[in-house]
Amino acid sequence: QAKSGGTGRVGFFSLSLSRAAEERLALEIALREALQTGGLELYYQPQIELAVGRLHGLEALARWQHPTLGTIPPDRFIPLAEECGLIGALSRWVLEQACGQLAKWRREGLAVPAVAVNLSASNFHNLELPTLVEQILERHGLQPSDLYVELTESTLLEDHSSTLQTIERLHDLGVRLSLDDFGTGYSSLSYLRRLPITELKLDRSFVADLEHAPMARSLSAAILGIGTSLGLTVVAEGVETVAQKDILQAQGYPVVQGYWFAKPMPPQALPAWMAEQGMNRAQQV
Ligand code: C2E
Ligand code: MG
Ligand code: MG
Ligand code: MG
């Protein structure tokens, strides 16, 4: 009796395990298919120069519209893409899409200064990445300085020799590098010294605490000070309230991004948003 119960339990566990694996596999197949058939799209979130109300750039953020599961957030499908070897193809698609969209906006007469794309750690292990980026920029008639590549500290933590090499080559090309989510996890000031980055993005967890935690205010001011003195542009992300905006403005933050200014939007919504902001077509890039 006891023995057969035990066997039953083993059977139960292996069955549920295979079901989870099956679900994952189904999701992986769906993602692979979405990449080929257009199930993925990019939304764009404006980054604004606080002092003058001008556009600094647009961050491209991936969205997946799953046929039955609905919208799957990038925090879920990016790790999946990384695990199942799809992140190379996904990032290529993101770069292609974002650069194509920037060129299209400019043809339409919209003054969009730059686009920013997020890349994953393993993308930087690929020594072909700079050449790929160069080809995509050329194909769309863009300058390297039209593109920001956002990377996180976890990318640097791996300390892969190819990562540093790829970063250097992107920099030599003239592409701008932006250190995302700064201040979370394994922040090290040595990154700022060692890497050819041009921009630092203060993580939104600091911004969220600005109104109520003096420590967060001290840290945002300190990070701005360090970044500025190293010649970097410091961007505050996740600005949701006017109070947060006011504090950042008083501290001297040059660039902000967050729901209070605009949520990420589909590309076709940008012209109306810019017009509403008084960012007209005549504005020089
Ligand atoms: P991230 O690069 O730090 O992007 C900022 C995230 O904060 C975005 O979430 C954005 O929608 C959200 N956000 C912007 N303003 C606010 C705000 O005021 N309040 C709050 N609560 N959130 C705000 P999203 O689009 O869900 O993306 C999450 C993360 O997924 C990104 O964080 C990035 O790490 C990753 N990701 C997104 N798209 C891509 C992609 O194409 N490739 C790669 N490798 N990663 C991506
Ligand atoms: Mg980012
Ligand atoms: Mg971020
Ligand atoms: Mg992030």
Side-chain angles (χ1 to χ4, degrees):
Q1 283 272 347
K3 201 181 170 191
S4 81
T7 313
R9 228 169 278 140
V10 169
F12 172 77
F13 280 121
S14 56
L15 179 65
S16 68
L17 221 144
S18 82
R19 204 167 275 164
E22 229 170 72
E23 265 172 33
R24 216 188 90 91
L25 187 63
L27 208 60
E28 181 184 326
I29 290 167
L31 181 59
R32 209 174 285 273
E33 199 177 283
L35 254 173
Q36 282 162 3
T37 60
L40 293 182
E41 49 187 354
L42 290 182
Y43 273 41
Y44 296 86
Q45 188 176 35
Q47 304 170 316
I48 292 132
E49 292 179 13
L50 254 184
V52 285
R54 228 177 11 215
L55 202 57
H56 169 72
L58 294 166
E59 181 176 3
L61 295 157
R63 300 288 179 261
W64 180 13
Q65 211 50 57
H66 189 280
T68 54
L69 300 174
T71 306
I72 300 178
D75 287 332
R76 254 196 90 198
F77 70 81
I78 297 293
L80 177 69
E82 286 166 351
E83 285 159 29
C84 66
L86 279 175
I87 194 64
L90 192 146
S91 294
R92 203 178 317 128
W93 178 84
V94 169
L95 283 162
E96 176 64 40
Q97 194 72 16
C99 289
Q101 185 61 58
L102 177 60
K104 183 164 181 278
W105 276 323
R106 288 187 176 167
R107 282 197 302 275
E108 293 167 359
L110 277 190
V112 178
V115 286
V117 301
N118 295 281
L119 293 183
S120 295
S122 60
N123 294 139
F124 291 89
H125 301 168
N126 177 10
L127 291 170
E128 302 294 309
L129 179 72
T131 307
L132 174 74
V133 167
E134 192 175 20
Q135 286 168 349
I136 292 175
L137 288 167
E138 248 174 46
R139 180 149 14 97
H140 293 287
L142 299 176
Q143 299 297 313
S145 58
D146 290 330
L147 179 68
Y148 283 79
V149 164
E150 296 193 5
L151 60 149
T152 60
E153 292 160 316
S154 56
T155 298
L156 305 168
L157 194 73
E158 298 190 356
D159 226 8
H160 232 266
S161 69
S162 52
T163 299
L164 283 180
Q165 220 175 308
T166 304
I167 288 173
E168 297 284 356
R169 283 201 50 213
L170 284 171
H171 171 74
D172 291 345
L173 204 64
V175 169
R176 302 203 248 187
L177 291 144
S178 177
L179 191 51
D180 204 356
D181 302 345
F182 188 76
T184 56
Y186 310 93
S187 305
S188 162
L189 296 178
S190 73
Y191 295 144
L192 304 183
R193 197 167 50 83
R194 277 190 298 144
L195 295 170
I197 55 170
T198 62
E199 185 180 273
L200 207 61
K201 297 185 79 177
L202 177 75
D203 188 70
R204 66 180 154 90
S205 57
F206 294 98
V207 176
D209 289 344
L210 279 180
E211 289 165 67
H212 310 291
M215 182 61 95
R217 280 199 292 281
S218 303
L219 283 169
S220 68
I223 290 171
L224 175 66
I226 292 168
T228 306
S229 68
L230 290 171
L232 308 175
T233 302
V234 188
V235 178
E237 59 177 350
V239 183
E240 292 185 351
T241 69
V242 65
Q244 290 165 355
K245 184 217 96 176
D246 286 343
I247 294 167
L248 293 163
Q249 192 154 28
Q251 291 187 339
Y253 267 82
V255 182
V256 287
Q257 177 181 355
Y259 294 169
W260 193 77
F261 297 92
K263 289 197 169 177
M265 61 183 93
Q268 61 273 19
L270 188 74
W273 180 83
M274 283 181 73
E276 209 176 280
Q277 304 299 309
M279 294 170 175
N280 61 44
R281 288 163 184 272
Q283 183 192 314
Q284 286 302 301
V285 178

